[in-house]
Amino acid sequence: KRFKRIYPNLLFILFLFLVIFFIFYDFLPHEFDQNFFSIIFSILGISNIFYTINPNLFYFTDEIRWLIHTWSLSVEIQYYFLIGLFFYVHFKFFRLNQNFIIYFKIFIITLFIISFFIFILPEKKFVSDYYSLPARLWEFSLGSIAYLFPNKKKLNFNYLLFIIFIFICSASYLSLNYKLNIAVVIFFSYIMIVFSENSLSNNFTNFFKFFGKISYSFYLWHL
């Protein structure tokens, strides 16, 4: 289901970009190489590795990086492979029983803790680099934790949104380390998912629900 959601939109955007870029854009030779390999590695789900081994392709620069945002899709795909491997190994060597969900929860929590500590380490290639898988697994693991550990106490979505808005603005104004900014956004997103009231339905929350439903497609073409 995840691959069916990811790849049709991804392939369409890559094809559209290919047409527009190579027909209408007066590109330089190094841009051709960069975007050609970006397309190939995006399809293969390893574009984050491509950007890791290229020191001149950091995300936060003034130069436009047309497909650099596909690194996160590659990390997402790799996460699904990792989870799939866990299920395969368990079903291959162990019986399916009531304890499986306990093992899976322990696995996800352990993955989250290890990955988060790797994330806050000084940057090292393939370990705690901006694009690296080990330093980004905690974000996807936190999404799994939100599903595996539902919360009965609910808070008003509008208040939560206001709080996260204040924190994001404060972090941006103070020009804090980008890792801290990322952590703030991710953890407050987790709080909103777990603690927000599902019964809320008004124009304000519907506005965000709409963008939540189209967020993946929006993310693909925003650059």
Side-chain angles (χ1 to χ4, degrees), residues 89-102:
V89 170
H90 183 87
F91 295 146
K92 185 74 173 179
F93 299 101
F94 304 96
R95 292 183 177 181
L96 180 61
N97 52 45
Q98 296 296 326
N99 293 326
F100 171 74
I101 192 64
I102 298 176

Side-chain angles (χ1 to χ4, degrees), residues 198-216:
N198 295 326
S199 59
L200 281 176
S201 180
N202 54 49
N203 293 332
F204 187 61
T205 54
N206 289 337
F207 173 81
F208 283 93
K209 288 179 182 179
F210 169 75
F211 278 102
K213 291 178 180 178
I214 68 167
S215 61
Y216 172 59

Side-chain angles (χ1 to χ4, degrees), residues 146-194:
Y147 174 79
L148 291 169
F149 298 92
N151 182 71
K152 293 182 179 180
K153 295 181 179 179
K154 298 299 179 181
L155 300 174
N156 188 286
F157 176 87
N158 298 343
Y159 292 138
L160 288 174
L161 189 65
F162 176 74
I163 293 171
I164 188 175
F165 177 77
I166 295 298
F167 267 83
I168 291 175
C169 288
S170 301
S172 300
Y173 177 76
L174 295 173
S175 299
L176 300 176
N177 182 281
Y178 77 87
K179 288 188 175 182
L180 181 58
N181 290 343
I182 290 172
V184 168
V185 172
I186 296 299
F187 279 112
F188 269 97
S189 298
Y190 167 81
I191 290 172
M192 291 178 71
I193 291 171
V194 174

Side-chain angles (χ1 to χ4, degrees), residues 11-74:
L11 293 174
F12 173 76
I13 291 295
L14 291 177
F15 174 76
L16 188 63
F17 167 76
L18 193 68
V19 173
I20 295 174
F21 182 80
F22 290 107
I23 293 179
F24 298 103
Y25 187 73
D26 186 18
F27 54 84
L28 299 174
H30 78 278
E31 291 178 304
F32 173 86
D33 296 338
Q34 175 188 320
N35 287 298
F36 174 79
F37 285 110
S38 293
I39 290 172
I40 299 301
F41 291 138
S42 295
I43 295 173
L44 296 176
I46 54 174
S47 63
N48 63 316
I49 298 175
F50 172 64
Y51 296 127
T52 298
I53 63 179
N54 286 273
N56 297 322
L57 293 179
F58 189 59
Y59 202 96
F60 300 107
T61 58
D62 293 332
E63 184 180 348
I64 295 176
R65 312 293 190 182
W66 299 98
L67 296 172
I68 202 165
H69 60 307
T70 59
W71 72 269
S72 64
L73 297 179
S74 294

